[in-house]
Amino acid sequence: MPAMNSNDPSRSTGDTLDTAIVGAGVGGLYAAWRLLGCGQPPGGIAVFEASARVGGRLFSVTMPGTTGLAAEFGGMRFLSSHTLITSLAAKFGLKIREFTTGNSESIFYSRGKQWRAGDIAKKQPLPYSLRPDELYLDPFELIVKAVQRVMPSMKHLSPDDWVKMKESLTLDGFPLIDWGFRNLLGRFLSDEALQFIEMGIGYSAVVSNWNAADALSLVVEYTNSATEKTLVDGMQALPNALAAAIVREGSTLYHQHRLVSLRGPAQTGDGLHELVFATPEGPRAVRARRVVLALPRRAIELIGDCAALKEPRVAALLATVTPRPLGKVFVAHEQPWWRPLGLTSGRATTDLPIRQIYYFGTEPDRPAGATGHLTMGYFDHPQLDYWAGLRRLEQPAASGFTVLDPDGPVATEVRRQIGVVHGLDQPMPAPLSVGFMNWEEDPYGGAWHTWNQGVKSWELMKTIAAPVPGMALHIVGEAWSTNQGWVEGALETAEAVVGTLTRIPAN
Ligand SMILES: Cc1cc2nc3c(=O)[nH]c(=O)nc-3n(C[C@H](O)[C@H](O)[C@H](O)COP(=O)(O)OP(=O)(O)OC[C@H]3O[C@@H](n4cnc5c(N)ncnc54)[C@H](O)[C@@H]3O)c2cc1C
């Protein structure tokens, strides 16, 4: 699903802008689109993107050997409670369908034993020595059990109630924000339960020691029965639609423009910012009255020359979140090897390095006209290293999105581990194609971010949105949001900054 190339210099309005937006991920594109919607002159707004495509961490690929199926190397779903993305999809006519993560047939494979999710409630023995009060609960129910010790009323809280509550909750006399989430779980659950949760949730970072108050927000959201959705044409259809709308309305989107230097009005002396971009044709300088950086933490830290962002107070602000790496591998097949096992959609979860295995192409609402099938391996630290090492073996210099050999070391090991997890008698058939992406690499530094222990996210978010007093410099994106790890977080921060810039009520 190619990104559009709208890098048409003839549409440039000259090199002095009202607003320069850096980063054409969903956050930057949404900020541009909303500014236009608020009546800002299109000629005064331009978006600059380092890569040759839009979407950033939304990256929907059609794998060779398939048609009409989005291999989502980045974000792949959203929650029914995410109002901004839901209304944007409606606005742009993007069709929504259900997304399945798990059901009672979902497979777990851990400590050399396989079982189905439904076996837990049927009181089948598991390979974990759980306490009597922890038995027969699935990994998420165990998390809820611990969280309810801090917040007995959590099942009745709306996300808005929860935002107010997280400022005041304490545990053992310490504010909740000072707790690490892993420590909080360990306060109420056994070591074995923690290991079961980490395996069964599928993401080690989710149960690591990030800010417990912000981690609990995620738990509250899922407890409120939010259902999972996705876009029929792939999640990247949203940034593609935003980019098309911006260009249609007369603004310019520059690809292959990587910000390398940013000087504020104090340095330029003319009340404007000076941005210098590395482009295939050499450096290009642009002047702008205000700048919106729609970038994750690592990308901001990579801007080599920017005194304001390197200033210790600002650097410390940016460092209040931790990038969390994730990697994905997709293999495409003609036949859905999982159907004979009674599986149609969702995932298996394991303690093997592949961690999560999703099946796509046999869902009841498979996109019309789609051909082929996809299996996705999905892993974070420490297992990401395992797969990065195998890719290095195959392609030592590769980085970013990589097409791999269907008979190479990564594909061979993926097929072996899928066989073990699912108890396949026959080796999996050779895939039609294989793709790999490691989001830890530059310029991302991670797939998502978590607020650090001890920080007040609700206060910092406002400061980070305009981190340098007296400078019309703004930061938007998922990294410093209340919906970290979600598109919704990027949209919310963009909405807040646009509201400030245009003095309009929030959308
Ligand atoms: C593996 C993975 C799984 C995820 N799962 C989900 C999910 O299921 N649901 C969900 O809602 N969200 C998910 N997310 C998170 C979601 O993708 C992000 O929250 C969202 O896309 C972030 O948008 P953004 O605009 O903040 O940043 P980004 O998408 O990171 O955009 C930043 C842009 O800036 C560009 N850039 C970087 N440096 C420069 C520079 N110096 N100059 C110019 N441009 C630059 C980048 O190329 C990029 O296009 C996932 C992310 C990943 C990676």
Side-chain angles (χ1 to χ4, degrees):
M1 301 184 189
M4 87 192 62
N5 185 350
S6 53
N7 186 9
D8 174 1
S10 65
R11 306 204 63 174
S12 167
T13 53
D15 284 342
T16 299
L17 294 164
D18 186 55
T19 309
I21 297 178
V22 183
V26 73
L29 292 167
Y30 181 70
W33 181 75
R34 288 285 290 126
L35 284 172
L36 291 170
C38 293
Q40 302 285 307
I45 298 173
V47 181
F48 298 88
E49 165 58 40
S51 73
R53 67 173 182 90
V54 300
R57 284 173 279 160
L58 295 180
F59 186 28
S60 311
V61 175
T62 303
M63 296 284 291
T66 69
T67 49
L69 282 184
E72 301 282 18
F73 281 88
M76 62 182 173
R77 62 189 148 198
F78 56 96
L79 297 179
S80 50
S81 53
H82 290 170
T83 52
L84 286 171
I85 186 171
T86 305
S87 63
L88 267 184
K91 173 98 193 158
F92 287 109
L94 303 174
K95 288 198 215 86
I96 293 175
R97 66 186 179 99
E98 300 300 313
F99 184 96
T100 307
T101 294
N103 53 40
S104 61
E105 293 306 312
S106 297
I107 286 176
F108 289 94
Y109 179 88
S110 181
R111 298 182 174 179
K113 187 171 164 25
Q114 188 207 74
W115 71 95
R116 301 267 177 159
D119 293 342
I120 298 173
K122 287 185 208 150
K123 306 194 173 178
Q124 298 295 313
L126 302 182
Y128 289 87
S129 303
L130 300 171
R131 291 188 317 228
D133 64 308
E134 295 168 342
L135 289 172
Y136 320 129
L137 297 176
D138 70 27
F140 186 69
E141 288 167 337
L142 281 166
I143 291 179
V144 171
K145 177 182 169 67
V147 170
Q148 280 179 326
R149 298 287 297 274
V150 189
M151 256 193 332
S153 60
M154 71 172 286
K155 288 212 164 155
H156 310 290
L157 280 181
S158 72
D160 286 346
D161 294 336
W162 165 238
V163 171
K164 287 179 209 127
M165 193 177 238
K166 75 178 174 187
E167 300 176 20
S168 57
L169 275 179
T170 60
L171 172 62
D172 295 344
F174 297 101
L176 199 56
I177 56 158
D178 286 347
W179 279 84
F181 188 45
R182 181 84 174 196
N183 296 141
L184 181 146
L185 295 175
R187 170 76 177 71
F188 299 112
L189 299 171
S190 67
D191 296 333
E192 282 287 284
L194 286 190
Q195 290 186 34
F196 178 42
I197 290 171
E198 183 168 346
M199 182 284 300
I201 289 289
Y203 302 87
S204 297
V206 168
V207 289
S208 67
N209 244 352
W210 57 304
N211 189 305
D214 292 291
L216 263 57
S217 302
L218 188 63
V219 180
V220 168
E221 200 149 18
Y222 268 99
T223 314
N224 280 341
S225 311
T227 55
E228 295 182 324
K229 311 277 178 193
T230 193
L231 298 180
V232 171
D233 293 327
M235 294 288 282
Q236 201 184 332
L238 177 58
N240 285 348
L242 284 165
I246 293 162
V247 172
R248 211 169 36 239
E249 290 185 32
S251 290
T252 309
L253 167 59
Y254 296 95
H255 291 281
Q256 296 184 289
H257 276 59
R258 181 169 54 86
L259 183 67
V260 291
S261 163
L262 171 60
R263 297 196 309 142
Q267 289 166 286
T268 59
D270 61 3
L272 296 171
H273 298 78
E274 185 199 62
L275 302 91
V276 179
F277 296 93
T279 80
E281 289 79 39
R284 173 179 191 167
V286 173
R287 290 176 110 72
R289 196 168 69 79
R290 60 190 177 196
V291 175
V292 177
L293 298 180
L295 305 173
R297 175 180 162 184
R298 174 72 181 155
I300 291 181
E301 290 171 346
L302 283 172
I303 301 168
D305 175 21
C306 181
L309 293 170
K310 309 281 178 211
E311 199 251 303
R313 188 193 64 85
V314 178
L317 274 176
L318 299 179
T320 52
V321 296
T322 300
R324 299 294 187 174
L326 281 171
K328 287 193 179 186
V329 59
F330 272 90
V331 293
H333 334 262
E334 250 163 54
Q335 298 302 326
W337 56 266
W338 54 87
R339 283 298 292 124
L341 304 172
L343 302 164
T344 51
S345 59
R347 67 169 183 177
T349 320
T350 177
D351 56 1
L352 297 188
I354 196 163
R355 295 293 273 118
Q356 301 180 54
I357 300 160
Y358 279 79
Y359 330 98
F360 298 108
T362 50
E363 305 91 321
D365 56 351
R366 167 188 167 113
T371 62
H373 300 88
L374 296 170
T375 316
M376 180 184 94
Y378 195 11
F379 27 83
D380 65 357
H381 268 313
Q383 292 87 358
L384 180 53
D385 268 357
Y386 182 93
W387 298 103
L390 288 177
R391 182 183 67 168
R392 219 171 289 126
L393 204 57
E394 186 172 335
Q395 295 193 23
S399 72
F401 173 64
T402 318
V403 175
L404 293 174
D405 178 357
D407 292 315
V410 172
T412 303
E413 186 59 11
V414 164
R415 288 161 68 196
R416 187 191 73 77
Q417 292 190 20
I418 288 176
V420 172
V421 169
H422 294 83
L424 300 180
D425 300 334
Q426 307 280 332
M428 265 178 70
L432 302 168
S433 57
V434 182
F436 181 90
M437 181 75 189
N438 175 357
W439 292 96
E440 187 173 22
E441 291 165 353
D442 288 340
Y444 297 98
W448 65 296
H449 298 76
T450 53
W451 289 103
N452 294 339
Q453 211 178 328
V455 305
K456 292 182 178 169
S457 57
W458 62 93
E459 286 178 4
L460 285 164
M461 274 175 56
K462 292 182 198 142
T463 316
I464 287 167
V468 186
M471 195 170 166
L473 170 68
H474 302 275
I475 295 179
V476 304
E478 165 271 344
W480 296 275
S481 72
T482 47
N483 258 309
Q484 290 170 315
W486 296 105
V487 167
E488 194 74 0
L491 299 177
E492 281 170 358
T493 55
E495 187 65 40
V497 164
V498 168
T500 313
L501 296 183
T502 57
R503 303 266 180 265
I504 49 148
N507 194 20

